[in-house]
Amino acid sequence: MKVKSTFFCSNCGSESPKWIGKCPSCNEWNTYHEEVIEKKTSHEEKSAVWKDHKMEKPFPKKLDEVSSLTAKRINTLDGELNRVLGGGLVYGSIILVGGQPGIGKSTLMLQLALNQGSKVLYVSGEESEEQIKMRADRIGRNNSSCYIYTDVNVSNILKEANKLQPDIIIIDSIQTLVSPYIESTPGSISQVRECTGELQRYAKITNIPIFVIGHITKEGGIAGPKLLEHIVDVVLQFEGDNHYAYRILRTIKNRFGSTDEIGIYAMDTQGLREISNPSELLISPDDDRLSGSAIAASIEGLRPLLLETQALVSPAIYGTPQRSATGFDLRRLSMLLAVLEKRCGLAYGQNDVFLNIAGGIKVADPSIDLAVVAALISSLQDIHISKKICFAGEVGLSGEIRPVSRVDQRIQEAGRLGFDTIYISKYKSDVLAKKNYQVEVRMLSRIDDLLREVFA
Ligand code: TYD
Ligand code: MG
């Protein structure tokens, strides 16, 4: 038995026999840490794992002979999760679910396990059986073929999985697992890497999908090396704000679908509830007729989403005016302010400007520019914009309003939700003008048009 110690980069997971200051593969400084690994495995010993599991070793096959089982998907019976996964769970895939502590990862996964009619193995290295039972009681659902197993040893887990032959495996969490072939502590880079690797091989050979919960570091990355994200098929991030009950499940990587999808849940006293119509929830009531808010007809993934953008423009008290944005790119805000100053002569220079996307949502869709601009003007001039009006358009540097993708879908959603008017770009929209929508479609070519139409 050889005792060996190696250095690992905590950022990307590369290995080096001696300490180095700068990682040659990811160029980060001071990321190397020493970990003691006891190498009792030669390659033959490792393949003994497969003998234990009585599994065939893979061999080259003709593509024609490969069964197309993997092309089918399992319905998780959770509409939001299905959407985020790209239309259901793929057989043999390994899915990493990341998120801050207390956000609801264990709840989401347990709920998935209890929803299924099929056999699910829920492995927990974090909580006792009783604690999980308590949570299941709280969620108030039952699946008589949901198995709980509290162990942290990957070999044992895979042995039990082999006996049980579940349809889905859930691991809570990867940072608690240990591989008997490696000596370092749970959660260390070499452990996380080894354990994920073993789970991945198991998933691929048995075709059982595995969900793996992973913790998040202070910087917001999934703890353990970036490498982890390379090994798994899908990376989901569960995020939310402590002040809101909403939780957003976001796809960061998906080998079987798009990465633009989001799933929205609300954390209730009885677990997570799917929010299938988020627009209604994200827009505040129009009782007070306050200025500074405008509604954007945005699209997240495949789903249209009406969002409220809120701006506050107020005279700067201390020297340099502040600019602050939540859920929106700060540089983009500065650019829109510059466009408003230059093209419309509106003076934001001596004002503090705060921008917020309501509901704690982050958007990258450029189509919300027009709503942001409308909110900024509304706040500066203290003119209320009706909540029956929404906007979809990108704003260019010369103040022109540019067309956005899938405008037809946005208009339909606005109509469905009972809006009166939607403002879009004049360009490339001749076709739309002729259609019969439930909502009045008005077209703008420049920001000046917006000033004239909405704020006159
Ligand atoms: P949990 O799933 O334990 O989070 P994670 O595994 O990501 O650390 O979620 C815990 C939080 O959710 C906790 O603050 C309690 C809350 N919660 C509810 O509000 N309602 C519920 O029905 C459940 C089960 C949890
Ligand atoms: Mg947990």
Side-chain angles (χ1 to χ4, degrees):
M1 193 202 297
K2 269 192 300 187
V3 174
K4 195 183 151 200
S5 108
T6 314
F7 293 83
F8 287 97
C9 169
S10 59
N11 185 48
C12 69
S14 32
E15 215 177 312
S16 157
K18 61 180 178 30
W19 189 85
I20 34 183
K22 185 183 177 191
C23 174
S25 73
C26 68
N27 292 330
E28 285 291 317
W29 285 91
N30 272 331
T31 50
Y32 273 81
H33 298 288
E34 183 171 19
E35 283 181 18
V36 180
I37 340 172
E38 191 179 347
K39 285 233 163 157
K40 59 180 164 199
T41 39
S42 61
H43 275 292
E44 287 103 75
E45 274 177 89
K46 245 193 195 166
S47 52
V49 180
W50 301 112
K51 251 178 251 146
D52 281 356
H53 295 322
K54 295 196 194 67
M55 282 183 298
E56 275 178 54
K57 279 182 92 181
F59 55 91
K61 267 185 217 159
K62 279 193 195 162
L63 189 57
D64 295 347
E65 292 163 8
V66 177
S67 78
S68 55
L69 181 67
T70 40
K72 283 198 217 117
R73 290 176 186 243
I74 304 172
N75 177 4
T76 62
L77 301 177
D78 175 336
E80 300 296 295
L81 188 61
N82 280 345
R83 182 208 325 275
V84 169
L85 290 172
L89 185 55
V90 173
Y91 285 92
S93 63
I94 172 154
I95 297 128
L96 182 65
V97 182
Q100 241 123 33
I103 202 77
K105 301 180 295 297
S106 307
T107 310
L108 180 74
M109 286 296 115
L110 187 61
Q111 221 166 301
L112 166 82
L114 296 176
N115 266 340
Q116 298 301 305
S118 48
K119 214 189 265 179
V120 183
L121 176 62
Y122 188 107
V123 182
S124 180
E126 302 212 326
E127 289 160 311
S128 67
E129 291 156 11
E130 290 76 19
Q131 282 171 315
I132 298 170
K133 175 76 180 157
M134 268 166 60
R135 179 173 299 132
D137 288 342
R138 197 167 167 188
I139 294 171
R141 250 166 283 183
N142 194 19
N143 172 7
S144 52
S145 41
C146 173
Y147 292 81
I148 303 292
Y149 181 53
T150 48
D151 197 344
V152 290
N153 183 317
V154 191
S155 286
N156 292 350
I157 293 170
L158 295 187
K159 253 179 233 157
E160 291 302 326
N162 233 20
K163 272 190 235 152
L164 198 63
Q165 292 292 328
D167 297 300
I168 299 176
I169 301 176
I170 295 166
I171 308 281
D172 188 0
S173 66
I174 189 70
Q175 276 89 5
T176 57
L177 291 195
V178 284
S179 163
Y181 302 106
I182 282 191
E183 186 60 18
S184 56
T185 52
S188 64
I189 296 160
S190 47
Q191 280 293 4
V192 166
R193 193 166 83 169
E194 180 66 24
C195 296
T196 319
E198 246 166 81
L199 292 172
Q200 192 238 15
R201 267 171 304 213
Y202 186 79
K204 291 290 171 281
I205 291 184
T206 59
N207 255 331
I208 302 174
I210 305 184
F211 281 95
V212 178
I213 293 180
H215 291 266
I216 250 179
T217 58
K218 278 193 251 47
E219 293 81 39
I222 288 168
K226 267 263 173 291
L227 197 98
L228 193 58
E229 295 185 21
H230 296 307
I231 301 176
V232 301
D233 298 306
V234 180
V235 181
L236 303 180
Q237 185 138 314
F238 207 31
E239 38 183 66
D241 203 303
N242 287 340
H243 307 293
Y244 298 100
Y246 331 121
R247 300 284 182 267
I248 296 175
L249 191 62
R250 205 179 276 280
T251 329
I252 310 246
K253 163 184 175 179
N254 191 352
R255 283 191 180 141
F256 321 107
S258 126
T259 51
D260 306 323
E261 290 300 340
I262 61 169
I264 303 184
Y265 297 88
M267 180 64 96
D268 271 355
T269 47
Q270 294 185 321
L272 292 158
R273 184 165 46 87
E274 294 172 40
I275 306 275
S276 41
N277 192 357
S279 301
E280 280 170 9
L281 186 110
L282 293 171
I283 296 170
S284 56
D286 196 16
D287 303 336
D288 303 329
R289 299 187 55 83
L290 297 174
S291 66
S293 106
I295 297 178
S298 156
I299 284 195
E300 277 284 340
L302 294 176
R303 176 164 56 171
L305 192 64
L306 282 116
L307 295 168
E308 184 171 336
T309 60
Q310 299 171 329
L312 179 67
V313 179
S314 72
I317 305 169
Y318 311 105
T320 329
Q322 295 187 57
R323 304 278 181 257
S324 153
T326 315
F328 189 75
D329 184 25
L330 190 58
R331 272 171 304 177
R332 187 123 196 125
L333 172 64
S334 306
M335 181 218 111
L336 293 176
L337 288 172
V339 170
L340 282 172
E341 295 230 3
K342 180 91 180 170
R343 308 289 165 197
C344 307
L346 297 169
Y348 287 91
Q350 293 310 310
N351 288 303
D352 287 338
V353 178
F354 304 95
L355 184 77
N356 181 29
I357 309 293
I361 287 197
K362 284 192 207 79
V363 256
D365 181 2
S367 73
I368 75 161
D369 282 0
L370 190 58
V372 169
V373 163
L376 289 170
I377 302 175
S378 162
S379 181
L380 181 75
Q381 305 194 333
D382 203 16
I383 298 174
H384 164 80
I385 303 175
S386 158
K387 290 231 166 121
K388 292 276 175 207
I389 297 179
C390 62
F391 302 87
E394 187 184 337
V395 175
L397 286 180
S398 52
E400 82 277 20
I401 293 165
R402 310 168 52 136
V404 292
S405 62
R406 290 189 274 159
V407 100
D408 188 52
Q409 215 180 333
R410 299 174 200 252
I411 300 174
Q412 279 174 10
E413 176 76 357
R416 207 171 62 72
L417 292 175
F419 281 82
D420 290 341
T421 315
I422 179 168
Y423 286 95
I424 60 167
S425 166
K426 196 173 219 158
Y427 305 104
K428 296 193 195 154
S429 54
D430 312 343
V431 220
L432 299 171
K434 293 185 199 90
K435 287 204 190 168
N436 223 347
Y437 291 111
Q438 278 171 291
V439 53
E440 186 185 355
V441 182
R442 308 201 58 129
M443 303 188 188
L444 309 172
S445 59
R446 301 178 49 79
I447 302 189
D448 315 27
D449 298 347
L450 176 75
L451 273 170
R452 215 171 305 121
E453 288 244 358
V454 182
F455 298 98

